[in-house]
């Protein structure tokens, strides 16, 4: 009996170990250090793209601030049949910013290991220059589709009939992602929710930085929509496209800065989203700049 119990216990442990391999979290995003530029970019030796493997089938990429001050983050999700990349960064030239080569290598390695031939879909979190600059590196490549930049093109690609009020689900093969239109920062803005990791990507709509709001009413309803979505879907991390806040509460780096020595952490949480939501409700219909510890509401019109 004793021995049987021990054996069952060992089997359970082994099963747990096997199960945890496929969903293992390889990095702790709370502690993750990101390349953050240099005071003198002429002596910067960081790679043009930092590659962080989040778990077995998810990568987070960050552009070097010395190649472009925007230093956007890009995310790569792999399913069994398709890969989804969000955004193509802030620099066009392959020599300075080899994004296609980097992503291709990750996918090719996966294909080799799993005997697959993955299709790549490149989606933009929105239509701003610092998130689409390297589109040309992907255009015309085999097994690669770059989704259009206008709201109608995004809607048509994902079969969204009622933009921006309808969310849709895409299946990468055993991995479902929700695409949620969230205009306000820009009219093509979308959030992406990965059901496997419970990560929500919010692009430039919500991140540790200056939340530039072009259309106040749309922005308010998009944030309400994300809060409502979160009521039905667990959120582990909310990840955006930039970091512009320092660790000193409410203090942002100057616009255009190529050196962020003490950046705020990348992940935000549902409590932060709720803080934004409440602040917007309090401000009401008239746009107003509002400084918080981790973000700044920053109307631009
Ligand atoms: Zn941006
Ligand atoms: Zn933007």
């Amino acid at each position: 009996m004793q021995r049987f119990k021990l054996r069952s216990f060992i089997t359970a442990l082994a099963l747990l170990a096997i199960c945890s391999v496929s969903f293992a979290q390889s990095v702790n995003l709370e502690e993750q250090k990101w390349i953050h530029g240099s005071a003198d970019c002429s002596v910067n030796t960081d790679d043009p793209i930092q590659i962080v493997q989040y778990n077995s089938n998810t990568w987070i990429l960050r552009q070097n601030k010395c190649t472009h001050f925007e230093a956007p983050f890009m995310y790569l999700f792999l399913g069994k049949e398709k890969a989804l990349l969000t955004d193509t960064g802030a620099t066009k030239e392959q020599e300075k910013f080899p994004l296609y080569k980097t992503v291709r290598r990750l996918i090719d390695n996966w294909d080799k290991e799993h005997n697959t031939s993955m299709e790549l879909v490149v989606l933009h979190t929105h239509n701003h220059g610092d998130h689409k600059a390297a589109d040309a590196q992907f255009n015309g490549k085999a097994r690669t589709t770059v989704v259009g930049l206008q709201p109608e093109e995004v809607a048509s690609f994902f079969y969204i009939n009622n933009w921006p009020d309808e969310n849709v689900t895409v299946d990468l093969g055993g991995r479902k992602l929700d695409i949620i239109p969230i205009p306000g920062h820009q009219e093509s803005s979308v959030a992406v929710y990965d059901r496997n990791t419970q990560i929500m990507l919010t692009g430039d709509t919500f991140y540790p930085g200056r939340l530039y709001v072009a259309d106040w009413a749309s922005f308010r309803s998009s944030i309400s929509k994300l809060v409502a979505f979160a009521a039905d879907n667990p959120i582990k991390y909310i990840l955006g496209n930039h970091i512009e806040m320092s660790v000193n509460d409410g203090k942002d780096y100057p616009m255009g800065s190529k050196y962020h020595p003490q950046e705020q952490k990348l992940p935000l949480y549902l409590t932060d989203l709720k803080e934004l939501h409440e602040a917007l409700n309090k401000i009401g219909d008239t746009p107003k700049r509002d400084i918080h510890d981790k973000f700044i509401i920053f109307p631009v019109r």
Side-chain angles (χ1 to χ4, degrees), residues 138-164:
F138 292 81
N139 285 333
K141 294 292 194 303
R143 308 194 307 284
T144 303
T145 306
V146 180
V147 180
L149 290 155
Q150 300 306 321
E152 309 80 58
E153 294 173 287
V154 181
S156 132
F157 184 85
F158 290 108
Y159 302 100
I160 301 173
N161 296 314
N162 191 16
W163 178 279

CSV table of all heavy atoms in Angstrom, one decimal, residues 138-164:
chain,number,residue,atom,x,y,z
A,138,PHE,N,8.9,41.7,-45.0
A,138,PHE,CA,8.0,40.5,-45.0
A,138,PHE,C,7.2,40.4,-46.3
A,138,PHE,O,6.7,39.3,-46.6
A,138,PHE,CB,7.0,40.6,-43.8
A,138,PHE,CG,7.7,40.5,-42.5
A,138,PHE,CD1,8.4,41.6,-41.9
A,138,PHE,CD2,7.7,39.3,-41.8
A,138,PHE,CE1,9.0,41.5,-40.7
A,138,PHE,CE2,8.4,39.2,-40.6
A,138,PHE,CZ,9.0,40.3,-40.0
A,139,ASN,N,6.9,41.5,-47.0
A,139,ASN,CA,6.1,41.5,-48.2
A,139,ASN,C,6.6,40.5,-49.2
A,139,ASN,O,7.8,40.6,-49.5
A,139,ASN,CB,5.9,42.9,-48.8
A,139,ASN,CG,5.0,43.7,-47.9
A,139,ASN,OD1,4.1,43.2,-47.3
A,139,ASN,ND2,5.2,45.1,-48.0
A,140,GLY,N,5.8,39.7,-49.8
A,140,GLY,CA,6.2,38.8,-50.8
A,140,GLY,C,7.0,37.6,-50.4
A,140,GLY,O,7.4,36.8,-51.2
A,141,LYS,N,7.2,37.4,-49.1
A,141,LYS,CA,8.0,36.2,-48.6
A,141,LYS,C,7.1,35.0,-48.6
A,141,LYS,O,5.8,35.1,-48.4
A,141,LYS,CB,8.6,36.5,-47.2
A,141,LYS,CG,9.6,37.6,-47.2
A,141,LYS,CD,10.9,37.1,-47.9
A,141,LYS,CE,12.1,38.0,-47.7
A,141,LYS,NZ,12.0,39.4,-47.9
A,142,ALA,N,7.7,33.8,-48.8
A,142,ALA,CA,6.9,32.6,-48.8
A,142,ALA,C,6.1,32.4,-47.5
A,142,ALA,O,6.7,32.7,-46.4
A,142,ALA,CB,7.8,31.4,-49.1
A,143,ARG,N,4.9,31.8,-47.6
A,143,ARG,CA,4.1,31.5,-46.4
A,143,ARG,C,4.0,32.6,-45.4
A,143,ARG,O,4.0,32.4,-44.2
A,143,ARG,CB,4.7,30.2,-45.7
A,143,ARG,CG,5.0,29.0,-46.6
A,143,ARG,CD,5.3,27.8,-45.8
A,143,ARG,NE,6.3,27.9,-44.8
A,143,ARG,CZ,7.6,27.9,-45.0
A,143,ARG,NH1,8.1,27.8,-46.2
A,143,ARG,NH2,8.4,27.9,-44.0
A,144,THR,N,3.9,33.8,-45.9
A,144,THR,CA,3.8,35.0,-45.1
A,144,THR,C,2.7,36.0,-45.6
A,144,THR,O,2.7,36.3,-46.8
A,144,THR,CB,5.2,35.8,-45.1
A,144,THR,OG1,6.2,34.9,-44.7
A,144,THR,CG2,5.2,37.0,-44.2
A,145,THR,N,1.9,36.4,-44.7
A,145,THR,CA,0.8,37.4,-45.1
A,145,THR,C,0.9,38.6,-44.1
A,145,THR,O,1.0,38.4,-42.9
A,145,THR,CB,-0.6,36.8,-44.9
A,145,THR,OG1,-0.7,35.5,-45.6
A,145,THR,CG2,-1.7,37.7,-45.3
A,146,VAL,N,1.0,39.8,-44.7
A,146,VAL,CA,1.0,41.0,-43.9
A,146,VAL,C,-0.4,41.6,-44.0
A,146,VAL,O,-0.9,41.9,-45.1
A,146,VAL,CB,2.1,42.0,-44.5
A,146,VAL,CG1,2.1,43.3,-43.6
A,146,VAL,CG2,3.5,41.3,-44.5
A,147,VAL,N,-1.0,41.7,-42.9
A,147,VAL,CA,-2.4,42.2,-42.8
A,147,VAL,C,-2.3,43.7,-43.1
A,147,VAL,O,-1.4,44.4,-42.7
A,147,VAL,CB,-3.0,42.0,-41.4
A,147,VAL,CG1,-4.4,42.5,-41.4
A,147,VAL,CG2,-3.0,40.5,-41.1
A,148,GLY,N,-3.4,44.2,-43.9
A,148,GLY,CA,-3.4,45.7,-44.2
A,148,GLY,C,-3.5,46.6,-43.0
A,148,GLY,O,-3.7,46.1,-41.9
A,149,LEU,N,-3.4,47.9,-43.3
A,149,LEU,CA,-3.2,48.8,-42.2
A,149,LEU,C,-4.5,49.6,-41.9
A,149,LEU,O,-4.6,50.2,-40.8
A,149,LEU,CB,-2.1,49.8,-42.5
A,149,LEU,CG,-0.7,49.2,-42.5
A,149,LEU,CD1,0.3,49.9,-43.4
A,149,LEU,CD2,-0.1,49.1,-41.1
A,150,GLN,N,-5.4,49.6,-42.8
A,150,GLN,CA,-6.6,50.4,-42.6
A,150,GLN,C,-7.6,49.5,-41.8
A,150,GLN,O,-7.6,48.3,-41.9
A,150,GLN,CB,-7.3,50.8,-43.9
A,150,GLN,CG,-6.4,51.6,-44.8
A,150,GLN,CD,-5.9,52.9,-44.1
A,150,GLN,OE1,-6.6,53.5,-43.3
A,150,GLN,NE2,-4.6,53.2,-44.3
A,151,PRO,N,-8.5,50.2,-41.0
A,151,PRO,CA,-9.5,49.4,-40.2
A,151,PRO,C,-10.3,48.5,-41.1
A,151,PRO,O,-10.5,47.3,-40.7
A,151,PRO,CB,-10.4,50.5,-39.6
A,151,PRO,CG,-9.7,51.8,-39.6
A,151,PRO,CD,-8.7,51.7,-40.7
A,152,GLU,N,-10.7,48.9,-42.3
A,152,GLU,CA,-11.4,48.0,-43.2
A,152,GLU,C,-10.6,46.8,-43.6
A,152,GLU,O,-11.2,45.7,-43.7
A,152,GLU,CB,-11.8,48.7,-44.5
A,152,GLU,CG,-12.5,50.1,-44.4
A,152,GLU,CD,-11.5,51.2,-44.1
A,152,GLU,OE1,-10.6,51.4,-44.9
A,152,GLU,OE2,-11.6,51.9,-43.0
A,153,GLU,N,-9.3,47.0,-43.8
A,153,GLU,CA,-8.5,45.8,-44.1
A,153,GLU,C,-8.3,44.8,-43.0
A,153,GLU,O,-8.3,43.6,-43.2
A,153,GLU,CB,-7.1,46.3,-44.6
A,153,GLU,CG,-7.2,47.1,-45.9
A,153,GLU,CD,-5.8,47.8,-46.2
A,153,GLU,OE1,-5.4,48.7,-45.6
A,153,GLU,OE2,-5.2,47.3,-47.2
A,154,VAL,N,-8.2,45.4,-41.8
A,154,VAL,CA,-8.0,44.5,-40.6
A,154,VAL,C,-9.4,43.8,-40.4
A,154,VAL,O,-9.4,42.5,-40.2
A,154,VAL,CB,-7.7,45.3,-39.3
A,154,VAL,CG1,-7.5,44.4,-38.1
A,154,VAL,CG2,-6.4,46.2,-39.5
A,155,ALA,N,-10.5,44.5,-40.5
A,155,ALA,CA,-11.8,43.9,-40.3
A,155,ALA,C,-12.0,42.8,-41.4
A,155,ALA,O,-12.5,41.7,-41.1
A,155,ALA,CB,-12.9,45.0,-40.5
A,156,SER,N,-11.7,43.1,-42.6
A,156,SER,CA,-11.9,42.1,-43.7
A,156,SER,C,-11.0,40.9,-43.5
A,156,SER,O,-11.5,39.7,-43.7
A,156,SER,CB,-11.7,42.8,-45.0
A,156,SER,OG,-11.0,42.1,-45.9
A,157,PHE,N,-9.8,41.0,-43.1
A,157,PHE,CA,-8.9,39.9,-42.9
A,157,PHE,C,-9.4,39.0,-41.8
A,157,PHE,O,-9.3,37.7,-42.0
A,157,PHE,CB,-7.5,40.4,-42.6
A,157,PHE,CG,-6.5,39.2,-42.5
A,157,PHE,CD1,-5.8,38.8,-43.6
A,157,PHE,CD2,-6.2,38.6,-41.3
A,157,PHE,CE1,-5.0,37.7,-43.6
A,157,PHE,CE2,-5.3,37.6,-41.2
A,157,PHE,CZ,-4.7,37.1,-42.4
A,158,PHE,N,-9.9,39.6,-40.7
A,158,PHE,CA,-10.3,38.7,-39.6
A,158,PHE,C,-11.8,38.4,-39.6
A,158,PHE,O,-12.3,37.9,-38.6
A,158,PHE,CB,-9.9,39.4,-38.3
A,158,PHE,CG,-8.4,39.4,-38.1
A,158,PHE,CD1,-7.6,40.5,-38.1
A,158,PHE,CD2,-7.7,38.2,-37.8
A,158,PHE,CE1,-6.2,40.5,-38.0
A,158,PHE,CE2,-6.4,38.1,-37.6
A,158,PHE,CZ,-5.6,39.3,-37.7
A,159,TYR,N,-12.5,38.8,-40.7
A,159,TYR,CA,-13.9,38.6,-40.8
A,159,TYR,C,-14.7,39.3,-39.6
A,159,TYR,O,-15.5,38.7,-39.0
A,159,TYR,CB,-14.3,37.1,-40.8
A,159,TYR,CG,-13.7,36.4,-42.0
A,159,TYR,CD1,-12.5,35.6,-41.8
A,159,TYR,CD2,-14.2,36.5,-43.3
A,159,TYR,CE1,-11.9,35.0,-42.9
A,159,TYR,CE2,-13.6,35.9,-44.4
A,159,TYR,CZ,-12.5,35.2,-44.2
A,159,TYR,OH,-11.9,34.5,-45.2
A,160,ILE,N,-14.3,40.6,-39.4
A,160,ILE,CA,-15.0,41.4,-38.4
A,160,ILE,C,-16.1,42.2,-39.1
A,160,ILE,O,-15.8,43.0,-39.9
A,160,ILE,CB,-14.1,42.3,-37.6
A,160,ILE,CG1,-12.9,41.6,-36.9
A,160,ILE,CG2,-14.8,43.2,-36.6
A,160,ILE,CD1,-11.8,42.4,-36.3
A,161,ASN,N,-17.4,41.8,-38.9
A,161,ASN,CA,-18.4,42.5,-39.7
A,161,ASN,C,-18.8,43.8,-39.1
A,161,ASN,O,-19.3,44.7,-39.8
A,161,ASN,CB,-19.7,41.6,-39.7
A,161,ASN,CG,-19.4,40.3,-40.5
A,161,ASN,OD1,-18.7,40.4,-41.6
A,161,ASN,ND2,-19.7,39.2,-39.9
A,162,ASN,N,-18.7,44.0,-37.8
A,162,ASN,CA,-19.1,45.1,-37.1
A,162,ASN,C,-18.0,45.9,-36.3
A,162,ASN,O,-18.0,45.9,-35.1
A,162,ASN,CB,-20.3,44.7,-36.1
A,162,ASN,CG,-21.0,45.9,-35.6
A,162,ASN,OD1,-21.0,47.0,-36.1
A,162,ASN,ND2,-21.8,45.6,-34.5
A,163,TRP,N,-17.1,46.4,-37.1
A,163,TRP,CA,-16.0,47.2,-36.5
A,163,TRP,C,-16.5,48.4,-35.9
A,163,TRP,O,-17.3,49.1,-36.5
A,163,TRP,CB,-14.9,47.5,-37.6
A,163,TRP,CG,-13.8,48.3,-37.2
A,163,TRP,CD1,-13.7,49.6,-37.0
A,163,TRP,CD2,-12.5,47.7,-36.9
A,163,TRP,NE1,-12.4,50.0,-36.6
A,163,TRP,CE2,-11.7,48.8,-36.5
A,163,TRP,CE3,-11.9,46.5,-36.9
A,163,TRP,CZ2,-10.3,48.7,-36.1
A,163,TRP,CZ3,-10.6,46.3,-36.5
A,163,TRP,CH2,-9.8,47.5,-36.1
A,164,PRO,N,-16.1,48.9,-34.7
A,164,PRO,CA,-15.1,48.2,-33.8
A,164,PRO,C,-15.8,47.5,-32.7
A,164,PRO,O,-15.2,47.2,-31.7
A,164,PRO,CB,-14.4,49.4,-33.2
A,164,PRO,CG,-15.4,50.5,-33.1
A,164,PRO,CD,-16.4,50.3,-34.3
